[in-house]
Amino acid sequence: TGVQTCALPISDEDRRIMLAPSGTPDIIGCHKKTGRMVLVEVKRPGLKPKPLQQIQMNDWAQAGAFVFCATSIEDVQREIKNL
C-alpha cells in the first residue's frame, strides 16, 4: 500500500495538537547521526500492536525507516543501539 500519512494541525492560543491517521506509530523522529526515520509504537508489557498498527509499521520499514515496538525506555535504548 505504501506509506501515506498526513497530520492535521489543530491549535488554540495555548497549544498545538497534531492528529495522525489511525495506526500511525506513537513516536516519530529522525536519528541525528544517520538521518534515518525512527518510529516507535509504545505498548504496555505483554501487549502487541493491533493489525492496523502492524501494517503501518511494516509499510514504514519497507520504506527504509527504523521501526519497533517498545514497552520501556530500556527497550528504546536497546533498539537505538541497533541503528
Side-chain angles (χ1 to χ4, degrees):
T1 61
V3 175
Q4 298 177 4
T5 63
C6 66
L8 305 172
I10 298 174
S11 60
D12 61 23
E13 293 177 15
D14 299 319
R15 63 179 178 237
R16 182 178 172 116
I17 302 169
M18 300 299 283
L19 302 177
S22 295
T24 301
D26 298 305
I27 301 171
I28 300 173
C30 182
H31 190 267
K32 190 173 184 177
K33 291 182 181 178
T34 65
R36 192 170 175 193
M37 289 286 297
V38 178
L39 297 101
V40 183
E41 181 59 42
V42 179
K43 291 291 180 194
R44 290 186 180 144
L47 297 181
K48 295 182 178 182
K50 295 176 183 173
L52 181 57
Q53 292 170 323
Q54 192 61 57
I55 290 168
Q56 284 279 349
M57 291 171 68
N58 292 344
D59 285 350
W60 278 106
Q62 288 178 356
F66 186 69
V67 185
F68 60 94
C69 184
T71 60
S72 67
I73 188 67
E74 292 81 15
D75 287 349
V76 175
Q77 291 169 335
R78 182 176 49 254
E79 291 293 333
I80 293 298
K81 287 181 183 177
N82 292 326
L83 262 172

